[in-house]
Amino acid sequence: MVSRFSLWLVAAVLFLLTEARKNLIVDTDIFSDCDDTAALLLAATSPDVNLLGVNINSQSSYSVLAVSAILNHYDLPDVPVGARRPLNDVPFFDNWNKASGEFASKLATHWPKTLANAEEAWDPVTLYRKLLAEAEDGSVTIASIGFLHNLSGLLNSTADSQSDLSGPELVETKVRELVVMGGDFPSGYEWNFWGDDPYTT
C-alpha cells in the first residue's frame, strides 16, 4: 500500500521539478534561415524549459504555420502563437509547388499543425500581456531572436483587459531576464536591429 507520506513526497518532487523549469517566451523572425528553428527545437524539447508562448516578428503567414507545425510535432499543440500583422504569403526564393528555397513554406504546407490559418494567431502584444499577467512575478525569460517590433509594442502598451499595468510596469514586475540576439551592437551591424524598419524599434 502506498503511504500518504510517499504520495506527498512524489507530489513535492514534481512540484520542485516544475518550479525549476524556466518560463520562456520566444520572439522569433523564423522564415528564411534555420537558426530560429534550432532555437525553437531546443525550447520545445528542453526539460529545463516551460515554453509559455511563441511570438513571431516576421510577417509571413508561412512563419506562423511553420511554428505551429514545429510545436505540434513536439507535442506542444496548446502553446499559443502570436504574429505581427499584416501577414503576407510571399515566400523566400521559392516556386509555386514549395519545393525549393526557404524551409518555412515546406513546414507550413506539408506538416501537420494546430493552426489551420495563420490569421488564427494571437496579436503579439496581447499575447505578451496575457502570458506575463498570468505568470508569477519575476519568473519569465524572454528570448528575442529576431526583429524588435513585438517587444516595442509591449513596452508601449497600456492597461487593458489582460492587466492593469502598463507595458513597462508589466515587464518590470514579471520578467526576470531579457535575452536579445544583437550581434556586435552598438558598434557593429546587426540584421535584427537594422533589417526591418529600424526606426520603429
Side-chain angles (χ1 to χ4, degrees), residues 61 64-65 68 80-83 85 87 113-123 127:
S61 61
V64 179
L65 298 178
S68 180
V81 177
R85 303 310 202 279
L87 292 169
K113 49 200 168 290
T114 304
L115 297 179
N117 187 298
E119 291 294 344
E120 296 176 16
W122 284 76
D123 169 80
L127 181 57

Side-chain angles (χ1 to χ4, degrees), residues 5-27:
F5 175 78
S6 297
L7 291 174
W8 179 89
L9 184 60
V10 169
V13 170
L14 290 174
F15 174 78
L16 289 173
L17 288 173
T18 302
E19 286 296 295
R21 298 172 72 200
K22 178 172 287 192
N23 289 325
L24 178 65
I25 301 172
V26 175
D27 201 328

Side-chain angles (χ1 to χ4, degrees), residues 48-59:
D48 299 323
V49 170
N50 177 31
L51 185 59
L52 299 179
V54 180
N55 264 333
I56 300 165
N57 49 66
S58 58
Q59 292 176 274

